[in-house]
Amino acid sequence: MNRFWRGSRSESNRSYNVNSLIDTESLLTEPAADIQIICDIDKTYIETRFESAVGMIKIAFEDADAKIAVNGAPLALLAGRWGAAFEGDDIPGPRPLHFLSASPPQLRRVIRDKLAKDGMDWTSDTFKNQAYNIKMGRLKLLKQHVAYKTATILNHMAKAPAKSKFILIGDNAELDAFIYCGVQMLLTGELSPAAYREYLSLGKVENEVLNTLEPLIARNFEGVQVMGILIRKAPGYVFNEVPPLTDMVLTFDSYFEVILHFLAWKLCPASSLPRITRLLHNDYGLAREELLACLMQAESEFQALGRNIEDLKQAEDFLRRGPPLGTLPNRASLRPGAHRDRVDLEEKAILGLAKDWVKAIEDRE
């Protein structure tokens, strides 16, 4: 038995390839879109509760009805994907929406059933071929997703039209923000390919895995940009702030905040906001206090930018009807659309902060 496992590890050191983890299926071809959305599934779209390999296996036996979407996620993603068509207007085509999951492909059917029941349509989905790690004797990589998610995102960007913009949505349970910020700094040139490789190594990506990422890291992405990084503050997890790296991240408590970011980026029309607000309260059960606090903060931000706030006022009026409101939550940190493009630091400083960031995430567990 020991000889078998030693042989497996030796073989993995010679031939391990992160691309063998990537199981992507495209459902639609939407090559013309200049804005694309990549959204994580576990704890970002679906309230996934597993912290171990045993838990991962257990959820494989759940059916679609047992899976719960994060409140408001379907409505927000459809609003971003369809834009003005959400209000019934003609548009050239929907924006590509790519789902990304660290779950194995065996869950694809169940998760697709769940997405379909939520009324979702999407461009592609990617699942992690965990059987490859088992085959290669790399069991410790079952819960290591940095290389897998990085490669998947860079693959989507490599196939995108020149000067495409991407919105990356994830959560703070693991290293989504670290992964997304690294991609952004590679695209802006704040991290050279060599420094980016070191950045990924700080995220516990091993050398033989990094070697298989080299062709992607070295690509010319033809002006592809990260338009925004949106990170859900999943219940039970702390978002570790390491400025200015984390200044590139827009965190959110509810998907209504995501909708307001989309509105600021003009992905959906302001005229849709009153109807979306009603749907989120009446059909999704989001509290009036949460919705109103977000709207009032957005109104203040939009007013300072000289943007029309009539539709925000109309949505607020709807929320003020009915029984007296309770205390409004503090949403002063909400800055719709205020994505920071650069950190303006030398590579050495970026890598030092990245090391601190990963350590802070590890220490919270």
Side-chain angles (χ1 to χ4, degrees):
M1 180 64 73
N2 289 337
R3 285 195 301 273
F4 169 79
W5 282 110
R6 280 201 297 272
S8 296
R9 284 194 286 269
S10 175
E11 178 63 24
S12 70
N13 286 336
R14 289 197 300 270
S15 59
Y16 190 90
N17 191 330
V18 70
N19 294 301
S20 296
L21 295 175
I22 300 171
D23 187 325
T24 297
E25 289 190 6
S26 296
L27 288 79
L28 300 168
T29 301
E30 297 159 333
D34 60 348
I35 296 175
Q36 304 196 33
I37 302 169
I38 298 178
C39 184
D40 182 57
I41 291 180
D42 315 298
K43 295 187 176 74
T44 301
Y45 182 92
I46 291 177
E47 293 282 18
T48 309
R49 295 182 176 88
F50 65 82
E51 306 300 334
S52 65
V54 173
M56 192 184 302
I57 293 169
K58 185 177 180 181
I59 65 168
F61 295 96
E62 294 179 348
D63 60 21
D65 292 330
K67 298 190 178 299
I68 301 172
V70 177
N71 217 354
L75 185 62
L77 292 175
L78 287 173
R81 173 162 163 74
W82 286 97
F86 194 77
E87 284 294 279
D89 297 335
D90 291 333
I91 60 170
R95 300 180 183 96
L97 170 60
H98 309 283
F99 280 111
L100 171 58
S101 175
S103 295
Q106 289 79 2
L107 286 179
R108 176 174 269 123
R109 180 188 61 79
V110 172
I111 289 178
R112 281 185 174 178
D113 286 349
K114 170 58 181 170
L115 292 170
K117 287 182 177 182
D118 290 343
M120 294 298 303
D121 71 305
W122 62 101
T123 310
S124 75
D125 50 49
T126 302
F127 291 81
K128 187 178 180 184
N129 179 20
Q130 297 283 24
Y132 178 71
N133 279 326
I134 296 172
K135 175 185 175 183
M136 299 299 289
R138 303 303 298 275
L139 300 186
K140 68 179 180 179
L141 296 184
L142 289 172
K143 290 187 67 180
Q144 218 288 6
H145 309 312
V146 174
Y148 158 73
K149 288 189 175 182
T150 297
T152 301
I153 293 166
L154 293 180
N155 275 327
H156 282 307
M157 291 179 168
K159 295 173 185 176
K163 299 183 180 179
S164 294
K165 296 179 179 179
F166 279 79
I167 297 168
L168 307 178
I169 308 176
D171 60 76
N172 64 330
E174 293 180 345
L175 288 167
D176 287 355
F178 176 86
I179 295 166
Y180 298 169
C181 288
V183 169
Q184 175 170 316
M185 289 185 287
L186 174 68
L187 295 179
T188 60
E190 288 200 281
L191 285 179
S192 65
Y196 183 53
R197 179 182 171 118
E198 187 173 347
Y199 180 91
L200 293 175
S201 73
L202 294 172
K204 311 305 180 186
V205 181
E206 299 177 356
N207 281 333
E208 67 268 25
V209 181
L210 284 167
N211 290 339
T212 67
L213 282 171
E214 288 284 3
L216 268 178
I217 294 174
R219 283 192 67 115
N220 178 358
F221 289 93
E222 299 187 82
V224 172
Q225 302 173 37
V226 173
M227 186 176 187
I229 295 172
L230 301 172
I231 296 293
R232 181 194 179 217
K233 291 190 280 187
Y237 296 90
V238 173
F239 179 72
N240 299 96
E241 295 188 13
V242 184
L245 292 190
T246 50
D247 293 344
M248 294 186 288
V249 177
L250 299 169
T251 59
F252 64 93
D253 290 284
S254 77
Y255 266 93
F256 189 47
E257 296 175 55
V258 173
I259 290 170
L260 292 172
H261 289 302
F262 287 169
L263 185 65
W265 290 325
K266 300 183 179 179
L267 269 66
C268 53
S271 59
S272 66
L273 191 60
R275 184 161 75 93
I276 287 174
T277 303
R278 290 195 299 272
L279 286 170
L280 285 173
H281 176 61
N282 294 337
D283 294 358
Y284 287 86
L286 264 70
R288 289 188 301 149
E289 290 81 359
E290 167 67 22
L291 296 167
L292 185 57
C294 291
L295 279 171
M296 291 174 66
Q297 178 63 21
E299 178 188 330
S300 174
E301 294 292 316
F302 282 22
Q303 203 163 23
L305 296 171
R307 293 186 58 167
N308 191 308
I309 59 171
E310 181 180 340
D311 294 297
L312 279 76
K313 286 285 191 185
Q314 187 178 335
E316 288 175 25
D317 289 343
F318 161 74
L319 294 170
R320 288 193 171 93
R321 300 173 196 160
L325 289 158
T327 303
L328 302 188
N330 184 350
R331 293 292 174 257
S333 62
L334 174 61
R335 298 287 186 271
H339 174 69
R340 179 169 177 171
D341 297 322
R342 302 178 64 85
V343 293
D344 297 320
L345 293 174
E346 298 294 329
E347 286 183 341
K348 184 177 180 180
I350 291 172
L351 294 173
L353 289 171
K355 183 178 181 180
D356 293 341
W357 192 3
V358 172
K359 186 177 186 306
I361 294 171
E362 290 175 339
D363 288 349
R364 74 186 183 186
E365 298 174 356

